[in-house]
Amino acid sequence: MQPVAEFEEVKVHGAESHVAHHFPDAKAQVEAGKLGMWIFLATEILLFGGLFCAYAVYRANHPEIFVYAHHFLNKILGGINTVVLIFSSFTMAWAVRAAQLSQQKKLVRLLAATIFCGFVFLGIKYVEYEHKWKEGLLWGKRYKPAHAEVSKPKDVPPPKPLISVNPEERSTLPPPAVPPQGLSWEVRAASQETVVPQNVQLFFSVYFVMTGLHGLHVVAGMVVLFWILLRARRGEFSSAYFTPVDLAGLYWHLVDLIWIYLFPLLYLIH
Amino acid sequence: MAVPVGNALFGDNYLSHAKGWKSWLFTLDHKRIGVMYLVSILASFLLGGVFALLIRMELWTPQRTIMDANTYNQMFTLHGAAMIFLFIIPGIPAALGNFVLPLMLGAKDVAFPRLNLLSYYLWVAGAVLALVSIVTGAVDTGWTFYTPYSTTTNTSVISMTLGAFILGFSSIFTGLNFIVSIHKLRPPTMTWFKMPLFLWGLYGTAIIQILATPVLGITLLLLIAERALGVGIFDPALGGDPVLFQHFFWFYSHPAVYIMILPAMGVISELVSTFSHRHIFGYRFIAMSSIAIAVISFLVWGHHMFVSGQSNLASLIFSILTFLVAIPSAVKVFNWVATMYKGEVELATPMLYALSFLFLFGIGGLTGLFLGALATDVHLTDTYFVVAHFHYTMFGGTAIAFFGGLFYWWPKITGRMYREAWAKLGAFLIFIGFNTTFLAQFIMGAQGMPRRYYNYLPEFAPYHKVSTIGAFILAIGFVIAAGVLLHSLFAGEPAPANPWGAATLEWQTTSPPPHDNFETQPIPGDPYDVDRWVFDREAGGYVLAPSGAAGGRV
Ligand code: HEM
Ligand SMILES: [Cu+2]
């Protein structure tokens, strides 16, 4: 979903200036745009909130799956991507500053740098996805691990429950005859001692859904930034008017922020 | 201060401001967007209503009457989905709210007019996708799309859920627009507690729209991914958990029932004060209870899952929280009744709808308590008792308030008055038809008639027959109401600026309003200071009493 709030800035009802006729003054209009953007960001957080919630439920109920499966993610590539996005947030913030100071050329360059970081991120993500594809480490129905060694990684620590009412209790799958337990905290059946836990595909489902949706947001953010870049080249922004740059920046920071949560939750599990 | 008293039908107004279909389809005027929403939403109501009549006809006899079992399953799904996603959720905010909110603020438009138009087209896109699903094999999951059935049935779940997903974004953008408009376009002299209560209702609604709808969005996306790609997050065969779907779904859909009812309560506050010709009683309580309802509504979703395998502790907590909702709801009802007490109640058509609302919503809310109590719910859940309960709240509550609001603002929207006598007859038949239809359902539900069943035991036949007859009385009522409104468009008397004697700002401009809403900027005062308005025979409506003179009706 793209941020739409900043589309509202110009020429509503055919007015010449940047102030639409239904706002008392420019300040009210800028404030309205910002409030709108923040509210929009809140909806984005809640959209991902559902996924974080699913993550929490499954990880709490089946920590062994997450501990086992996260070894298949490439920490190095994930780490590089984290750095790339943090750096792009930095260039974005600087771009907003450049717009505020009417530094036209610098603004264009910084926006281009931000978009470039987006491409690097997507490229690295592609390498990761492709690797998973080859190994058959895909979501739900498509999970078909290719190599024997893949199904038995070397150093799998014994499963440890993350949250548990009773510290003695260990989370396992419910035995087949028991219906799904949902969020119930009732004591589960005794443990089972396999190295490769059942239902590993669940981790990859969560992984692909979360990173996939995030990836779509990166793409949407890049499209918006590209549009801002075109407008910046036409010289539309200056210290007098830079709200669209500002709002697009906010959106980009949110996209980065979500990744900063995704990285440790998916790649760095203990 | 010069307040326009007259009718602008024959002068410059928002309807005559620009001509041609393009001036409608690309309009940024909140009034025109509101009218487009109104037409589309009423069309959806008609569609959903036809499905409802077909369902009721099928249930005339215990066996097959007019359709086979599969078609029946599709009918109730389409009925529910059309009524909920296309009609009742956008109904009051997007159609009436869009038209009235800027006027009530004394503003020229909503904060983001383009976003407003975008959300209308998102609504259209969602509606088209829903229609596509009907053509390409319909949906038979019920409007709740529960997994694992919805991931295994071979009907077109994807296009329906994608439609609902897009409708969700339409709803989010409307909410976003309203919140920003209320914060940033409110005139400095209109403090929060000088705001009309309809705006408080819309504000509470917008908060829920923004915080709950994205969760529905992700739920539906996961469902689509599940069907299209087999991600298995809700599929027990792949280690997923179908109950998680229910949690997600109700985390949105319970608050969604307050997306439906809060604006309705806002409408009722306006109607009750205006037609009692009395200042609203307990303004602050009504305003704050809207916010209280919005907050509590996020904490009770588990009452839809008492028998779905949720832990007993969770059920207990959800049950307690559910009872809390009754408090702010009752606060409102008592304040409305207190407003009418010693007021001069005028039984105009909108007021008849408001009184229907009080009666029907009262029953709907009180029967909710039986469903919120664990022990009784286990018996009543998934029976016709639930069906009757939510129709009393959603139809008897929200839809009735919507029609009350429609008759109330109709002269402002169109510049025409309708025939009171016929309009009252319509309202009366709707009330009678409604109770005939749904009271019978309470009884058979309590006796064990399950919901969503195609065939039933012959013992239930009399109740079903009564219910079906009621549905047709209802339909006649709506046909009359529609006829009254359509007739007014062609033959109605020109409406005065303020036909009812209300004190909110939308009545201080001509009917219909000019393109920019007000010729002269109105000065907001107490929105319920109705005593300052006196009936003027010459204008055919209410005008401001000359300052100093005591107000009142002549
Ligand atoms: C005092 C207020 C209310 C209470 C205590 C209440 C309580 C409940 C409970 C406990 C259920 C679950 C019944 C079951 O599945 O066994 C339920 C169902 C339902 N309620 Fe309410 N409710 C209230 C108000 C409303 C309002 C205002 C609306 C809509 C405008 C509404 C719409 C619905 C719907 C649609 C369902 C059925 C959902 C389904 O299972 O398909 N309720 N209510
Ligand atoms: Cu509920």
Side-chain angles (χ1 to χ4, degrees), chain B residues 250 253-254 257 300-301 303-304:
Chain B
W250 288 114
S253 290
H254 184 82
V257 308
V300 303
W301 79 88
H303 64 216
H304 297 273

Side-chain angles (χ1 to χ4, degrees), chain B residues 84 143-144 146 250 254 256-258 260-261 303-304 306 322-323 325-326 329 361 364-366 368-369 371-373 377 380-382 386 389-390 393-394 398 451-452:
Chain B
I84 298 227
W143 75 278
T144 45
Y146 270 20
W250 288 114
H254 184 82
V257 308
Y258 294 96
M260 307 167 197
I261 201 70
H303 64 216
H304 297 273
F306 286 157
T322 299
F323 279 93
V325 186
S329 310
F361 181 74
L366 290 175
L369 298 178
L371 299 173
D377 182 67
L380 296 171
T381 186
D382 274 333
V386 172
H389 156 71
F390 70 71
T393 50
M394 301 208 295
T398 309
R451 83 194 262 208
R452 294 182 176 169

Side-chain angles (χ1 to χ4, degrees), chain B residues 21-264:
Chain B
W21 56 272
K22 273 195 192 154
S23 74
W24 280 89
L25 293 188
F26 300 112
T27 183
L28 296 177
D29 181 349
H30 69 98
K31 299 183 288 305
R32 286 191 168 201
I33 295 175
V35 170
M36 293 199 291
Y37 259 121
L38 187 63
V39 173
S40 319
I41 280 165
L42 288 173
S44 316
F45 180 68
L46 179 66
L47 183 74
V50 170
F51 289 135
L53 287 180
L54 289 172
I55 296 171
R56 283 312 326 162
M57 270 148 81
E58 171 50 44
L59 293 173
W60 181 256
T61 64
Q63 320 80 28
R64 180 191 163 113
T65 316
I66 56 166
M67 60 181 88
D68 62 48
N70 280 331
T71 318
Y72 177 80
N73 290 348
Q74 296 171 1
M75 280 302 144
F76 73 67
T77 303
L78 296 174
H79 163 70
M83 285 300 192
I84 298 227
F85 295 117
L86 292 178
F87 168 64
I88 213 160
I89 289 181
I92 296 180
L96 298 178
N98 238 326
F99 193 95
V100 175
L101 176 134
L103 289 168
M104 277 187 163
L105 288 173
K108 291 191 171 117
D109 212 319
V110 291
F112 306 120
R114 279 170 205 232
L115 188 62
N116 202 14
L117 186 65
L118 174 71
S119 68
Y120 173 71
Y121 282 113
L122 285 175
W123 184 94
V124 173
V128 167
L129 274 172
L131 288 179
V132 165
S133 80
I134 299 183
V135 181
T136 58
V139 186
D140 62 354
T141 59
W143 75 278
T144 45
F145 309 121
Y146 270 20
T147 55
Y149 184 65
S150 58
T151 51
T152 49
T153 168
N154 57 7
T155 52
S156 33
V157 174
I158 290 190
S159 78
M160 180 60 98
T161 43
L162 201 59
F165 176 79
I166 293 175
L167 289 170
F169 270 90
S170 164
S171 168
I172 286 177
F173 289 146
T174 303
L176 189 156
N177 227 332
F178 285 3
I179 292 190
V180 177
S181 304
I182 289 176
H183 274 276
K184 299 293 172 197
L185 297 180
R186 208 158 21 90
T189 51
M190 187 190 281
T191 56
W192 281 95
F193 287 112
K194 284 249 162 62
M195 233 165 51
L197 287 165
F198 183 49
L199 296 187
W200 274 101
L202 288 178
Y203 190 78
T205 310
I207 292 177
I208 310 178
Q209 280 173 310
I210 279 172
L211 296 182
T213 319
V215 177
L216 177 75
I218 193 68
T219 313
L220 296 178
L221 278 187
L222 284 175
L223 182 58
I224 293 168
E226 185 116 13
R227 268 187 84 90
L229 309 169
V231 295
I233 286 191
F234 301 132
D235 183 354
L238 295 169
D241 186 347
V243 180
L244 186 64
F245 176 88
Q246 297 186 20
H247 278 287
F248 278 1
F249 183 83
W250 288 114
F251 181 83
Y252 165 74
S253 290
H254 184 82
V257 308
Y258 294 96
I259 292 179
M260 307 167 197
I261 201 70
L262 278 178

Side-chain angles (χ1 to χ4, degrees), chain B residues 459-477:
Chain B
E459 289 90 310
F460 294 117
Y463 301 111
H464 275 295
K465 288 209 158 63
V466 170
S467 189
T468 302
I469 293 170
F472 279 90
I473 302 178
L474 251 179
I476 296 171

Side-chain angles (χ1 to χ4, degrees), chain A residues 1-2 4-5 7-13 21-24 28-29 31-37 39-40 42-44 46-51 53-54 57-58 61-62 139-142 173 180-186 199 201-202 205-206 209 213, chain B residues 28-29 107-116 118 165 169 172-173 176 179-180 183-185 210-212 214-215 217-218 221-222 225-227 229-234 236-244 247-248 251 309-313 515-516:
Chain A
M1 251 20 68
Q2 294 167 20
V4 202
F7 294 11
E8 303 292 336
E9 298 301 321
V10 268
K11 297 192 191 107
V12 171
H13 286 220
H21 82 315
H22 59 284
F23 285 109
Q29 171 157 334
E31 283 177 0
K34 280 216 167 161
L35 180 60
M37 194 63 198
I39 295 174
F40 181 76
T43 69
E44 289 281 15
L46 279 149
L47 185 80
F48 277 93
L51 289 179
C53 179
V57 169
Y58 288 127
N61 281 351
H62 303 294
W139 56 88
K141 219 163 62 182
R142 305 287 301 273
L173 272 181
Q181 296 190 344
L183 292 178
S184 91
W185 288 350
E186 269 120 50
N199 289 326
Q201 71 277 6
L202 203 54
S205 298
V206 170
V209 170
L213 190 66
Chain B
L28 296 177
D29 181 349
K108 291 191 171 117
D109 212 319
V110 291
F112 306 120
R114 279 170 205 232
L115 188 62
N116 202 14
L118 174 71
F165 176 79
F169 270 90
I172 286 177
F173 289 146
L176 189 156
I179 292 190
V180 177
H183 274 276
K184 299 293 172 197
L185 297 180
I210 279 172
L211 296 182
V215 177
I218 193 68
L221 278 187
L222 284 175
E226 185 116 13
R227 268 187 84 90
L229 309 169
V231 295
I233 286 191
F234 301 132
L238 295 169
D241 186 347
V243 180
L244 186 64
H247 278 287
F248 278 1
F251 181 83
Q310 140 189 285
S311 80
N312 289 345
L313 178 66
H515 177 65
D516 274 344

